[in-house]
């Protein structure tokens, strides 16, 4: 490779994320640089390497690269050294921090580095503020409280300068000092303005948020503590260099009684102990992990991967806790032996003894403790809740006859008063259970046994058996009408299964026909309703609607029956997708159920109305109507429906609460679907701008969906999560997910989606100035689009590939890509009626190719490519793009020594651009340059003054 190639490689390494990949690339470059004779490159690569090692989790190697650079800087000063002076002075702070964390390095060496640091800072005219800070850190590490306090005072009273730590890192250490000395309120107050500002340091805001965990807890700021943990841990969890800070988060979970989450963190990072960045980090993680493991049930095991001579195994948590405690204690003893104190052993003993303190602090963004629903005085949104009709308490008369008790039970069954039903039947059994009674009374008691069953918990087979017994009893009386009532119920039950469907439909039809001729109005309506339900169970919607209509025509004799029939009818219309009739029926069911006041009927009717409503605000209002009276079985669907309605109403922040409660209820009830609900909740968090919580919940959803084998849904959730990661600035995990999606979407039916995710990955890389890798993703996306038969999409990403290659500096590859781009554009030429999107993409492809040609000084070819492009863009009303192409054309004309043509073009363009806009400023600058070249400097100066151009 040429020297230019090696320097380009160094630039790419600079732009890589910290970690093993960057370190591997750097060490490859170092070998090549050392094999050559470019001393500047070798020096610059080690400067980059020092930072890469510190933040990539290998600080011991940073001591080697720093020492090499410092020796080279002192031994044989070169002109290029001066540009690195600031970095070398800055790196002294890295060295002091690193040396404290390795017990094998004598303290004398650390003090020597501090003395050299102070000397160089003085000689270069810098403040000693950073020197005092690092002397404080050494004293604090030793447990020398008085000495630490004195250095802290000097640090605080010495002016800051360019070598001071950033506006987030200095306060972080101050917060740690204040927390150590028990001044938690001061720590929080000091951090508030820091967090309110803009922090751009690699270590922030996660470092200061981690330092604030204990002060927040100690001062009762539970919400702040929870939010600090979530945001900071998200930023820390992928960085080996932050293992010590991750230990603080493990301890935080233990202190807040989040044993399961602490265990999750320990399992996730346990393997990092085998490659810990420093012995100090290993010591703190081992101690906090040991304390966390002692809080979980002893029968649990943790998987520990193989390392060295240690085989992979499942380790009981108790044994692992002991092993980690031994590790932490032994490391603390080594530090104390080096330091000549017992401070580190005391600190680790306290961490090993950590236990939950105070009340449990929920940390999950998806699971909440159940909240008992209580009727609100005012429903959410300010609407008054509909009045609740409270049924009178059922009183069982002491002198009631058997017939009267059964009549009371039947009335309670009809009016959904289960407590009354059970009380009346209990009284009957106690008073008349062993008596010789008429056959009709015994048959009626058998019929009511079905009413005793809890419909949500009962086995359908048990209900079928009871109804068969009651049917036989009524037939034996005989009472044909009562027999047909029971036969209709039995028929509807049988239709729940394929095996009983034929018999069930026959029974239900016979019941409806018989009661239509011989029953009273209520019996006729109820019979038609039971037949409708039988058809519903068999998904025969047209016949179900006909039976429902017949039931509704006569149900007004009984308001309870009318409400039930109306509700059943809404279900049929919903399934038939007859939207207008569904909405009208749901409104009627809502009104009728409100009149009878039964919470279960009201909840079901309001949910139906919410699903039918076109206006999401109406759907929310319908849910709010029953929010305070919903029975336990309706809480989950109510929360889901209300959450979805709030999302549709662009009220994502409120939807979060409902969907989080829905997830909690789903998990508590053991109901399926919590992974799908987490996916919806993650999207709500995203839409509400709460990206950290969106990421946390989406990660949970992906795991759950994968366990269900729902790959399509899991991949869609991964796509959402990738976008969330991008929004958080977490580029690497976003790219990893998009790459996984591209791999998953390998089937021919998924090629367009594969192209989409590859293009998105390319876009992320392009925005991060990782242009060479971006070009590779765009090329892969183009191939997927071509195979999918999407030529417009292929052309778009070929253009993006070309621009990425151009900005990567690989002009030979960019020139070759022009041919590929032209072939893709040519495939869309000569269409009978060119769609605007094709016109746009072909025009922008011509512009992109011209820019690459211009970079190669092929100005005539570039001008030929853009000729006519602005007109084509204006023809599809892409006025902004047209102006940009014309400005570029003006620049090309100036570079081609054609200022007169440039002036004519640029004057026209400038007149159509908004004053003060960036394109206008660009046009004015180019036009002024043309005027200068035409020998008209006064006009050029006036134009620059008008547009504020220097």
């Amino acid at each position: 490779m040429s020297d230019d190639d090696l320097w380009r490689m160094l630039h790419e390494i600079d732009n890589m994320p910290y970690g093993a990949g960057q370190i591997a690339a750097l060490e490859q470059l170092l070998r090549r640089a050392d094999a050559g004779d470019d001393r500047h490159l070798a020096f610059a690569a080690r400067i980059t390497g020092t930072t890469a090692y510190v933040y990539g989790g290998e600080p011991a190697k940073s001591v080697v690269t720093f020492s090499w650079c410092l020796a080279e800087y002192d031994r044989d000063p070169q002109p290029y050294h001066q540009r690195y002076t600031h970095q070398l002075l800055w790196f002294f702070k890295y060295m002091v921090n690193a040396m404290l964390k390795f017990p094998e390095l004598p303290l004398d060496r650390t003090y020597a580095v501090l003395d050299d640091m102070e000397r160089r800072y003085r000689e270069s005219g810098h403040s000693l503020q950073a020197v005092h800070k690092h002397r404080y850190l050494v004293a604090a590490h030793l447990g020398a409280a008085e000495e630490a306090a004195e250095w802290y005072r000097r640090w605080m009273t010495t002016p800051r300068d360019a070598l001071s730590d950033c506006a987030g890192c200095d306060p972080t250490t101050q917060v740690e000092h204040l927390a150590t000395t028990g001044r938690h309120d001061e720590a929080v107050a000091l951090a508030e303005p820091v967090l309110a500002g803009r922090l751009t340091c690699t270590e922030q805001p996660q470092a200061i948020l981690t330092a604030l965990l204990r002060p927040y807890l100690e001062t009762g700021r539970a919400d702040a503590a929870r939010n600090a943990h979530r945001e900071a841990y998200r930023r820390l969890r992928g960085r080996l260099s932050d293992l010590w800070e991750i230990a603080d988060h493990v301890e935080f979970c233990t202190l807040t009684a989040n044993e399961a989450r602490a265990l999750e963190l320990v399992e996730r990072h346990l393997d990092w102990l085998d490659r810990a960045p420093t012995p100090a980090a290993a010591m703190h993680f081992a101690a906090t992990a040991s304390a966390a493991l002692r809080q979980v049930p002893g029968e649990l095991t943790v998987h520990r991967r193989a390392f060295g001579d240690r085989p992979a195994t499942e380790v009981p948590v108790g044994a692992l806790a002991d092993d980690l405690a031994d590790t932490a204690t032994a490391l603390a003893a080594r530090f104390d032996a080096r330091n000549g104190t017992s401070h580190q052993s005391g600190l680790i003993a306290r961490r090993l003894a950590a236990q939950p303190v105070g009340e449990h602090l929920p940390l999950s963004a998806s699971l909440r403790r159940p909240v008992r629903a209580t009727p609100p005085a005012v429903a959410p949104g300010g609407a008054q809740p509909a009045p609740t009709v409270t049924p009178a308490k059922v009183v069982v008369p002491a002198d009631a006859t058997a017939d009267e008790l059964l009549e009371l039970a039947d009335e309670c069954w009809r009016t959904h008063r289960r407590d009354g039903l059970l009380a009346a039947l209990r009284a009957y059994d106690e008073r008349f259970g062993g008596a010789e009674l008429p056959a009709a009374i015994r048959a009626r008691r058998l019929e009511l046994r079905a009413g005793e069953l809890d419909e949500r918990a009962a086995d359908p087979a048990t209900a079928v058996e009871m109804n068969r017994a009651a049917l036989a009893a009524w037939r034996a009386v005989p009472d044909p009408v009562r027999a047909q009532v029971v036969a209709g119920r039995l028929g509807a039950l049988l239709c729940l299964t394929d095996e009983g469907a034929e018999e069930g439909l026959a029974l239900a039809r016979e019941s409806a026909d018989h009661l239509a001729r011989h029953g009273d109005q209520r019996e006729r309506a109820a019979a038609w309703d039971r037949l409708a339900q039988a058809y519903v169970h068999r998904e025969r919607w047209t016949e179900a609607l006909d039976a429902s209509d017949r039931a509704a025509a006569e149900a007004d004799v009984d308001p309870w029956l009318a409400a039930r029939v109306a509700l059943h009818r809404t279900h049929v219309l919903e399934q038939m997708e007859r939207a207008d009739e569904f909405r009208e029926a749901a409104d009627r069911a809502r009104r009728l159920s409100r009149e009878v006041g039964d919470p279960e009927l009201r909840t079901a009717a309001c949910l139906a109305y919410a699903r039918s409503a076109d206006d999401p605000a109406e759907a929310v209002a319908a849910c709010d109507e029953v929010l305070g009276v919903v029975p336990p079985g309706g809480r989950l669907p109510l929360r889901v429906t209300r959450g979805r309605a709030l999302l549709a109403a662009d009220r994502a922040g409120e939807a979060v609460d409902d969907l989080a409660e829905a997830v909690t209820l789903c998990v508590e009830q053991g109901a399926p679907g919590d992974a799908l609900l987490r996916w919806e909740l993650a999207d709500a968090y995203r839409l509400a701008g709460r990206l950290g919580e969106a990421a946390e919940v989406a990660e949970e959803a992906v795991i759950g969906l994968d366990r269900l084998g729902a790959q399509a849904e899991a991949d869609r959730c991964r796509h959402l999560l990738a976008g969330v990661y991008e929004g958080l600035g977490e580029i690497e995990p976003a790219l990893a997910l998009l790459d996984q999606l591209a791999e998953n979407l390998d089937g021919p039916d998924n090629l367009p989606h594969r192209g989409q995710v590859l293009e998105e990955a390319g876009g992320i890389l392009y925005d991060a100035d990782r242009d060479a890798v971006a070009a590779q993703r765009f090329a892969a996306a183009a191939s997927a689009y071509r195979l999918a038969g999407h030529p417009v999409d292929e052309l778009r990403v070929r253009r993006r590939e070309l621009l990425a290659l151009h900005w990567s500096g690989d002009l030979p590859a960019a020139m070759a890509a022009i041919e590929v781009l032209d072939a893709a554009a040519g495939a869309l030429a000569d269409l009978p009626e060119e769609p605007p999107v094709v016109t746009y993409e072909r025009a922008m492809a011509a512009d992109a190719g011209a820019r690459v040609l211009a970079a190669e000084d092929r100005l005539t070819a570039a001008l030929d490519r853009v000729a006519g492009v602005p007109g084509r863009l204006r023809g599809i009303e892409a006025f902004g793009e047209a102006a940009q192409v014309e400005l570029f054309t003006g620049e090309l004309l100036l570079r081609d020594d054609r200022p007169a043509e440039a002036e004519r073009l640029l004057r026209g363009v400038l007149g159509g651009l908004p004053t003060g806009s960036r394109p206008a400023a660009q046009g004015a600058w180019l036009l002024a340059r043309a005027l200068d070249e035409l020998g008209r400097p006064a006009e050029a100066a006036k134009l620059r003054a008008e547009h504020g151009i220097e």
Side-chain angles (χ1 to χ4, degrees), residues 410-570:
D410 193 54
E411 175 66 11
C412 289
W413 189 12
R414 182 182 67 81
T415 56
H416 294 222
R417 290 180 288 176
R418 180 169 175 77
D419 289 347
L421 166 69
L422 297 178
L425 292 178
R426 192 181 310 114
Y428 173 91
D429 291 340
E430 290 171 356
R431 300 175 197 177
F432 305 105
E436 287 292 329
L437 297 170
I441 292 179
R442 294 198 305 273
R444 194 171 192 186
R445 179 64 185 94
L446 281 172
E447 179 183 348
L448 288 168
R449 287 199 183 281
E452 287 181 278
L453 295 175
D454 184 340
E455 293 181 2
R456 289 178 294 273
D459 177 10
T462 302
V464 167
E465 181 182 343
M466 288 185 173
N467 277 284
R468 285 195 188 279
L471 177 58
W474 279 119
R475 284 175 174 170
V477 168
D479 188 330
V481 169
R482 292 310 305 168
Q484 288 300 334
V485 169
V486 175
R489 291 194 193 113
L490 176 60
L493 282 169
L494 288 167
C495 285
L496 287 168
T497 65
D498 292 339
E499 297 80 6
E502 184 176 353
E503 179 190 2
L505 282 175
L507 283 170
R509 288 195 196 101
E510 181 184 351
S511 170
D513 290 342
H514 182 91
L515 292 172
R517 296 191 303 273
H518 304 290
D520 60 25
Q521 183 176 346
R522 185 185 179 285
E523 289 167 339
R524 293 195 299 272
W528 288 118
D529 183 51
R530 288 189 289 269
L531 178 58
Q533 290 306 292
Y535 283 129
V536 164
H537 296 329
R538 305 317 303 162
E539 298 184 3
R540 293 167 63 166
W541 304 112
T542 301
E543 293 154 296
L545 180 60
D546 179 66
S548 284
D549 287 343
R550 295 191 182 197
E554 299 198 78
D556 57 356
V557 68
D558 177 354
W560 290 87
L561 177 61
R564 286 195 297 273
V565 168
L567 185 59
H568 294 158
R569 190 167 178 272
T570 64

Side-chain angles (χ1 to χ4, degrees), residues 247-268:
D248 294 337
H249 286 269
V250 173
E251 184 174 70
F252 174 77
C253 293
T254 298
L255 294 173
T256 55
N258 285 278
E259 297 88 352
R261 185 167 176 84
L263 177 61
E264 176 192 335
L265 267 59
V266 171
E267 289 183 296
R268 181 178 293 165

Side-chain angles (χ1 to χ4, degrees), residues 777-788:
R777 295 294 200 287
F778 288 138
S783 297
Y785 284 138
R786 184 181 68 256
L787 292 171

Side-chain angles (χ1 to χ4, degrees), residues 1-17 20-34 38 41-42 44-46 48-49 52 769-773 807-810:
M1 298 178 74
S2 68
D3 285 350
D4 285 345
D5 291 332
L6 293 176
W7 277 101
R8 187 182 301 117
M9 184 177 175
L10 178 59
H11 174 72
E12 292 175 359
I13 290 170
D14 268 330
N15 288 324
M16 290 177 70
Q22 185 192 40
I23 288 173
L26 172 78
E27 292 179 345
Q28 182 184 31
L29 173 62
L30 281 173
R31 288 191 293 271
R32 290 178 173 173
D34 289 344
D38 190 337
L41 176 62
R46 283 174 170 83
T48 293
D769 293 329
R770 293 162 65 180
D771 300 305
V773 187
W807 290 114
S808 74
D810 192 348

